Amino acid sequence: MTDAAYQTSFAVNTNNGKRSSANIVLLPTQQEAQSQAYADASTCGARVFLCHLYEQGKRTHLTFSLPFSLLQEMARLQTADTKKNKSNAEELINRPLIRSHVDEIAKYLLETENYIIPPFIFNSNTPIKVFAFGNGPVKFGYAVISVNIELYVTDGQHRLKAIEKAIPERPELRDDSVTVLVVQEDDIDQIHQDFADCAKNKPIPPALLAAFDVTNVLSKLTRRISKELVIFDGRIDKISKTVGKDPSYIFTMSQLRVGMAEFLVGSSRKEVIESRSNQQKSEFKTLLDKAKTFYTQFAQINEVWQSLLQPASKTVNLDLYKLRQERIDFNSVGFQVISRVGYFIFFGNEFSEEQRNLLVEALAKLDYQRTSQLWQNSLVIDDGNGNKKIIAQMAAIDKGFKIALREVEAQTGLKLK
């Protein structure tokens, strides 16, 4: 078969004139496409890669599956420097590299067995020749990648650097693979727009992330508590950012996660949680059991929380929104204070079971109403209109914790801290 018999198509955007194109050679069968691709590659020392090709946004896209080792070999970065490129960053393809983001992804790759890496997006400003076959919008083909074709990373530079960092410590990653989308584009403005458009995807809400991210020990513990403890089962909003005026939910999933962090490590600060992550993995069942014990004991003693010991289906008339207006313990800040004191009861000192029970009882019997003088000018302030406003700041939570700690110690005669 001669070149004249090939059916070649070019993806040209007629709206703005000059545009890079994918050189697609359509052939009747897979065997002919494969044969012609390898014949073409042999004349110039190029390599042949299996791919799918399709049109999107008036451009030809190619998708490949590449092992990490080959990904590192083929990918090119053109990263703006935060010092050298302050005035001409728009002339480069990639934004400045954020080292902390690279470290975070590398840590994820090293610590997560069943990890997942999203597809990369590469840009080629040189047409890639593809010998393709098939009908319909998606075709199968053999792409001929010559040595002079440069594939620049449009989206995924942090993932690429993280893989590079993780492989020396986890060499088996070299044999894992990832999906790569190659866009044919020679307009730097459009390349930047492609990156900006990719970044427009809405992040996962914190509540939903806490519900779905079971690779994180704290999130996994929170998820288990939300389902296995009757107090929270059916009463945790696992999608929204806030519970608002909804009378059916006590906390969002992210608020429950923060409270769990306070109970498990004595803080909800990120650096403290991360410093205990490895320990949490080895003690998962113990931590889960202690959390269940603490919140159940608290609810058994606290008159208002006692209603939460009934399944949500049997307390449909319980107005949790009304309780949030009246009390601090049905708000995230109060829950954090209670949970942090719980940490010192269960993890801070070696208490006997009897002593621990006394401490939980004292904590549960504190007055958690907003109007209580106990919390004034710490967790609660007067807004000037006679309303008691809760202060949702870490400094306020720290003050509230010290107050609760002082009261519990005074009532029991036991030192918590």
Side-chain angles (χ1 to χ4, degrees):
M1 184 176 290
T2 63
D3 287 350
Y6 297 162
Q7 179 183 350
T8 305
S9 64
F10 297 93
V12 180
N13 184 337
T14 56
N15 292 330
N16 63 2
K18 183 178 181 296
R19 193 154 178 99
S20 118
S21 60
N23 187 351
I24 303 169
V25 181
L26 287 177
L27 293 163
T29 67
Q30 178 182 0
Q31 184 176 1
E32 288 177 286
Q34 183 183 46
S35 176
Q36 291 296 332
Y38 280 98
D40 189 278
S42 67
T43 64
C44 58
R47 288 186 287 189
V48 177
F49 295 90
L50 301 177
C51 69
H52 286 87
L53 60 154
Y54 59 91
E55 299 295 321
Q56 186 184 94
K58 298 182 179 180
R59 289 179 291 178
T60 300
H61 292 356
L62 309 175
T63 56
F64 302 85
S65 293
L66 300 178
F68 285 167
S69 55
L70 200 53
L71 177 77
Q72 289 182 285
E73 177 186 334
M74 297 180 67
R76 299 287 181 269
L77 291 178
Q78 197 182 80
T79 304
D81 187 280
T82 53
K83 295 181 179 180
K84 298 178 181 178
N85 303 117
K86 288 180 180 291
S87 62
N88 68 334
E90 77 283 355
E91 297 175 10
L92 303 172
I93 291 176
N94 301 113
R95 60 173 169 163
L97 199 69
I98 303 172
R99 291 293 172 185
S100 60
H101 189 32
V102 172
D103 294 342
E104 185 178 7
I105 299 172
K107 184 173 182 288
Y108 166 72
L109 289 172
L110 291 170
E111 296 182 355
T112 309
E113 183 177 356
N114 299 319
Y115 71 88
I116 185 168
I117 293 290
F120 286 74
I121 300 180
F122 287 1
N123 170 71
S124 171
N125 57 17
T126 303
I128 296 175
K129 194 170 188 179
V130 182
F131 293 86
F133 66 95
N135 299 314
V138 179
K139 296 177 178 62
F140 187 83
Y142 296 87
V144 179
I145 309 292
S146 60
V147 292
N148 65 334
I149 290 180
E150 295 181 324
L151 299 175
Y152 284 98
V153 179
T154 301
D155 183 53
Q157 67 164 339
H158 291 90
R159 276 166 273 154
L160 183 68
K161 285 295 183 181
I163 291 169
E164 181 181 298
K165 182 175 182 178
I167 281 179
E169 295 185 51
R170 191 178 176 187
E172 64 270 24
L173 288 175
R174 292 181 184 277
D175 297 324
D176 283 2
S177 300
V178 72
T179 299
V180 174
L181 167 65
V182 177
V183 180
Q184 304 280 304
E185 183 58 66
D186 62 358
D187 185 342
I188 188 67
D189 289 340
Q190 184 59 53
I191 293 171
H192 287 162
Q193 187 61 52
D194 287 344
F195 173 78
D197 289 346
C198 288
K200 288 178 182 177
N201 293 326
K202 188 175 181 180
I204 299 175
L208 201 57
L209 188 61
F212 282 15
D213 185 11
V214 295
T215 61
N216 179 280
V217 177
L218 176 58
S219 293
K220 188 175 182 179
L221 283 164
T222 304
R223 181 174 176 173
R224 290 282 294 274
I225 281 286
S226 73
K227 294 191 297 182
E228 297 179 13
L229 200 59
V230 65
I231 296 167
F232 303 122
D233 185 27
R235 297 187 176 101
I236 302 298
D237 186 336
K238 299 180 180 180
I239 295 179
S240 307
K241 290 183 178 180
T242 65
V243 287
K245 295 184 178 181
D246 198 315
S248 302
Y249 300 101
I250 183 171
F251 303 122
T252 66
M253 194 67 166
S254 54
Q255 288 171 341
L256 179 62
R257 185 180 186 274
V258 168
M260 283 289 290
E262 293 284 1
F263 175 72
L264 296 171
V265 300
S267 175
S268 56
R269 290 177 170 84
K270 183 178 179 181
E271 60 272 17
V272 178
I273 295 171
E274 290 182 347
S275 70
R276 293 285 303 277
S277 60
N278 290 333
Q279 182 180 354
Q280 287 178 342
K281 287 180 181 178
S282 63
E283 300 179 355
F284 184 88
K285 188 179 185 304
T286 300
L287 295 173
L288 181 63
D289 290 342
K290 286 187 176 183
K292 288 180 178 179
T293 300
F294 170 65
Y295 293 118
T296 299
Q297 285 185 343
F298 184 92
Q300 288 171 338
I301 297 166
N302 186 286
E303 291 183 1
V304 181
W305 279 67
Q306 284 175 6
S307 58
L308 301 178
L309 293 171
Q310 292 292 318
S313 60
K314 294 184 178 181
T315 57
V316 291
N317 294 323
L318 182 63
D319 191 339
L320 296 175
Y321 171 69
K322 184 171 181 290
L323 290 174
R324 285 196 295 278
Q325 305 313 301
E326 297 173 350
R327 303 174 62 85
I328 67 163
D329 51 342
F330 282 73
N331 286 269
S332 182
V333 292
F335 182 56
Q336 287 182 66
V337 167
I338 292 167
S339 299
R340 192 185 298 181
V341 176
Y343 166 77
F344 286 94
I345 295 174
F346 277 77
F347 302 99
N349 292 306
E350 291 292 333
F351 294 114
S352 67
E353 183 177 352
E354 182 181 0
Q355 289 174 322
R356 193 173 63 237
N357 291 341
L358 285 173
L359 290 164
V360 175
E361 181 179 4
L363 179 65
K365 287 185 174 180
L366 294 181
D367 186 354
Y368 293 103
Q369 294 184 83
R370 287 199 193 202
T371 54
S372 171
Q373 286 299 312
L374 198 60
W375 316 109
Q376 301 309 304
N377 299 318
S378 58
L379 293 177
V380 180
I381 61 170
D382 194 315
D383 67 357
N385 297 314
N387 300 313
K388 299 298 182 180
K389 181 180 178 182
I390 287 181
I391 306 301
Q393 295 176 350
M394 187 56 70
I397 294 168
D398 292 341
K399 288 181 181 179
F401 161 70
K402 290 177 181 178
I403 292 169
L405 194 74
R406 180 193 67 206
E407 292 294 314
V408 170
E409 288 180 339
Q411 292 183 33
T412 63
L414 298 169
K415 292 295 290 183
L416 283 169
K417 190 177 179 182

